[in-house]
Amino acid sequence: MQTLLLQHLRSVKLAVFAAGLLPLSRAVYLGFQDKLGANPIEFVTRASGDWTLYFLCLTLAITPLRRLTSLHVLLSFRRMLGLYTFFYACLHFLCFLWFDHFFDLEEMWRDVL
């Protein structure tokens, strides 16, 4: 019974892992199809920022959900979701710094202010 539960947990983790890569694969697909819109830099920057916030909310919701449901297995997903949050945040910052401002820190600082 326990091995069946572990197998099911692994398949759910694999599904969550694959779902976490869907936003990136969508952006890559749209990029190769030339369907990112009139301003592709803004599309990628905004999409990566949005997905950073979505993954941050999912990550932060794990602990209250675990306390409400007493499903301690949810903690095994928190690290994976947190790493996806970090990945999309780094992608967002890299797009903003590299593609939008070409490593000009002064221009970036003016844009943030």
Side-chain angles (χ1 to χ4, degrees), residues 63-78:
T63 300
L65 189 62
R66 181 191 56 90
R67 287 183 181 161
L68 287 173
T69 62
S70 298
L71 291 173
H72 298 289
V73 71
L74 292 174
L75 289 177
S76 64
F77 295 100
R78 187 171 61 184

mmCIF file of all heavy atoms in Angstrom, residues 63-78:
data_model
loop_
_atom_site.group_PDB
_atom_site.id
_atom_site.type_symbol
_atom_site.label_atom_id
_atom_site.label_comp_id
_atom_site.label_asym_id
_atom_site.label_seq_id
_atom_site.Cartn_x
_atom_site.Cartn_y
_atom_site.Cartn_z
ATOM 1 N N THR A 63 1.599 26.187 3.128
ATOM 2 C CA THR A 63 1.568 26.004 4.583
ATOM 3 C C THR A 63 0.161 26.188 5.159
ATOM 4 O O THR A 63 -0.287 25.330 5.935
ATOM 5 C CB THR A 63 2.583 26.936 5.265
ATOM 6 O OG1 THR A 63 3.881 26.621 4.773
ATOM 7 C CG2 THR A 63 2.562 26.763 6.773
ATOM 8 N N PRO A 64 -0.577 27.250 4.820
ATOM 9 C CA PRO A 64 -1.941 27.341 5.362
ATOM 10 C C PRO A 64 -2.840 26.195 4.882
ATOM 11 O O PRO A 64 -3.659 25.684 5.646
ATOM 12 C CB PRO A 64 -2.460 28.683 4.837
ATOM 13 C CG PRO A 64 -1.273 29.448 4.465
ATOM 14 C CD PRO A 64 -0.215 28.471 4.103
ATOM 15 N N LEU A 65 -2.654 25.770 3.642
ATOM 16 C CA LEU A 65 -3.444 24.653 3.126
ATOM 17 C C LEU A 65 -3.103 23.355 3.851
ATOM 18 O O LEU A 65 -3.993 22.549 4.158
ATOM 19 C CB LEU A 65 -3.196 24.511 1.626
ATOM 20 C CG LEU A 65 -4.071 23.539 0.869
ATOM 21 C CD1 LEU A 65 -5.525 23.978 0.941
ATOM 22 C CD2 LEU A 65 -3.629 23.463 -0.576
ATOM 23 N N ARG A 66 -1.845 23.183 4.158
ATOM 24 C CA ARG A 66 -1.427 21.997 4.919
ATOM 25 C C ARG A 66 -2.024 22.016 6.318
ATOM 26 O O ARG A 66 -2.469 20.995 6.835
ATOM 27 C CB ARG A 66 0.092 21.927 5.009
ATOM 28 C CG ARG A 66 0.594 20.704 5.774
ATOM 29 C CD ARG A 66 2.068 20.775 6.074
ATOM 30 N NE ARG A 66 2.458 21.966 6.805
ATOM 31 C CZ ARG A 66 2.489 22.078 8.139
ATOM 32 N NH1 ARG A 66 2.127 21.063 8.888
ATOM 33 N NH2 ARG A 66 2.884 23.189 8.705
ATOM 34 N N ARG A 67 -2.059 23.176 6.932
ATOM 35 C CA ARG A 67 -2.624 23.273 8.291
ATOM 36 C C ARG A 67 -4.133 23.038 8.288
ATOM 37 O O ARG A 67 -4.668 22.460 9.239
ATOM 38 C CB ARG A 67 -2.309 24.635 8.892
ATOM 39 C CG ARG A 67 -0.862 24.767 9.281
ATOM 40 C CD ARG A 67 -0.562 26.079 9.937
ATOM 41 N NE ARG A 67 0.850 26.170 10.261
ATOM 42 C CZ ARG A 67 1.471 27.288 10.505
ATOM 43 N NH1 ARG A 67 0.821 28.440 10.479
ATOM 44 N NH2 ARG A 67 2.766 27.288 10.782
ATOM 45 N N LEU A 68 -4.805 23.486 7.238
ATOM 46 C CA LEU A 68 -6.252 23.294 7.172
ATOM 47 C C LEU A 68 -6.629 21.847 6.872
ATOM 48 O O LEU A 68 -7.620 21.345 7.394
ATOM 49 C CB LEU A 68 -6.856 24.203 6.093
ATOM 50 C CG LEU A 68 -6.928 25.689 6.405
ATOM 51 C CD1 LEU A 68 -7.387 26.471 5.189
ATOM 52 C CD2 LEU A 68 -7.879 25.925 7.558
ATOM 53 N N THR A 69 -5.849 21.190 6.027
ATOM 54 C CA THR A 69 -6.208 19.847 5.579
ATOM 55 C C THR A 69 -5.444 18.736 6.276
ATOM 56 O O THR A 69 -5.798 17.567 6.116
ATOM 57 C CB THR A 69 -5.960 19.717 4.067
ATOM 58 O OG1 THR A 69 -4.572 19.900 3.794
ATOM 59 C CG2 THR A 69 -6.802 20.708 3.290
ATOM 60 N N SER A 70 -4.397 19.076 7.017
ATOM 61 C CA SER A 70 -3.512 18.094 7.664
ATOM 62 C C SER A 70 -2.848 17.153 6.669
ATOM 63 O O SER A 70 -2.536 16.013 6.997
ATOM 64 C CB SER A 70 -4.273 17.280 8.720
ATOM 65 O OG SER A 70 -4.752 18.121 9.726
ATOM 66 N N LEU A 71 -2.681 17.601 5.448
ATOM 67 C CA LEU A 71 -1.964 16.829 4.428
ATOM 68 C C LEU A 71 -0.509 17.276 4.428
ATOM 69 O O LEU A 71 -0.129 18.236 3.772
ATOM 70 C CB LEU A 71 -2.575 17.051 3.042
ATOM 71 C CG LEU A 71 -3.955 16.490 2.801
ATOM 72 C CD1 LEU A 71 -4.474 16.936 1.447
ATOM 73 C CD2 LEU A 71 -3.938 14.980 2.898
ATOM 74 N N HIS A 72 0.318 16.568 5.167
ATOM 75 C CA HIS A 72 1.720 16.942 5.301
ATOM 76 C C HIS A 72 2.515 16.663 4.023
ATOM 77 O O HIS A 72 3.630 17.137 3.873
ATOM 78 C CB HIS A 72 2.347 16.238 6.495
ATOM 79 C CG HIS A 72 1.702 16.625 7.790
ATOM 80 N ND1 HIS A 72 1.865 17.863 8.341
ATOM 81 C CD2 HIS A 72 0.855 15.953 8.604
ATOM 82 C CE1 HIS A 72 1.168 17.947 9.466
ATOM 83 N NE2 HIS A 72 0.541 16.792 9.638
ATOM 84 N N VAL A 73 1.930 15.905 3.122
ATOM 85 C CA VAL A 73 2.605 15.600 1.862
ATOM 86 C C VAL A 73 2.723 16.854 0.992
ATOM 87 O O VAL A 73 3.562 16.921 0.102
ATOM 88 C CB VAL A 73 1.860 14.458 1.127
ATOM 89 C CG1 VAL A 73 0.532 14.943 0.575
ATOM 90 C CG2 VAL A 73 2.712 13.851 0.056
ATOM 91 N N LEU A 74 1.920 17.869 1.273
ATOM 92 C CA LEU A 74 1.991 19.113 0.499
ATOM 93 C C LEU A 74 3.332 19.814 0.655
ATOM 94 O O LEU A 74 3.744 20.566 -0.223
ATOM 95 C CB LEU A 74 0.861 20.062 0.915
ATOM 96 C CG LEU A 74 -0.545 19.633 0.546
ATOM 97 C CD1 LEU A 74 -1.558 20.583 1.145
ATOM 98 C CD2 LEU A 74 -0.703 19.565 -0.950
ATOM 99 N N LEU A 75 4.013 19.564 1.771
ATOM 100 C CA LEU A 75 5.312 20.205 1.997
ATOM 101 C C LEU A 75 6.347 19.761 0.973
ATOM 102 O O LEU A 75 7.287 20.494 0.680
ATOM 103 C CB LEU A 75 5.817 19.906 3.409
ATOM 104 C CG LEU A 75 5.062 20.599 4.529
ATOM 105 C CD1 LEU A 75 5.603 20.163 5.874
ATOM 106 C CD2 LEU A 75 5.136 22.093 4.378
ATOM 107 N N SER A 76 6.165 18.587 0.404
ATOM 108 C CA SER A 76 7.128 18.114 -0.591
ATOM 109 C C SER A 76 7.017 18.893 -1.899
ATOM 110 O O SER A 76 7.925 18.851 -2.719
ATOM 111 C CB SER A 76 6.928 16.621 -0.848
ATOM 112 O OG SER A 76 5.653 16.387 -1.406
ATOM 113 N N PHE A 77 5.915 19.620 -2.090
ATOM 114 C CA PHE A 77 5.748 20.432 -3.299
ATOM 115 C C PHE A 77 6.231 21.864 -3.103
ATOM 116 O O PHE A 77 6.428 22.586 -4.070
ATOM 117 C CB PHE A 77 4.276 20.455 -3.732
ATOM 118 C CG PHE A 77 3.773 19.121 -4.155
ATOM 119 C CD1 PHE A 77 3.019 18.344 -3.294
ATOM 120 C CD2 PHE A 77 4.059 18.629 -5.415
ATOM 121 C CE1 PHE A 77 2.557 17.109 -3.686
ATOM 122 C CE2 PHE A 77 3.613 17.393 -5.812
ATOM 123 C CZ PHE A 77 2.859 16.632 -4.943
ATOM 124 N N ARG A 78 6.379 22.277 -1.851
ATOM 125 C CA ARG A 78 6.729 23.676 -1.577
ATOM 126 C C ARG A 78 8.096 24.052 -2.130
ATOM 127 O O ARG A 78 8.261 25.126 -2.712
ATOM 128 C CB ARG A 78 6.670 23.945 -0.073
ATOM 129 C CG ARG A 78 6.849 25.406 0.262
ATOM 130 C CD ARG A 78 6.568 25.688 1.697
ATOM 131 N NE ARG A 78 7.477 24.947 2.558
ATOM 132 C CZ ARG A 78 7.397 24.952 3.873
ATOM 133 N NH1 ARG A 78 6.446 25.636 4.476
ATOM 134 N NH2 ARG A 78 8.257 24.259 4.598
#
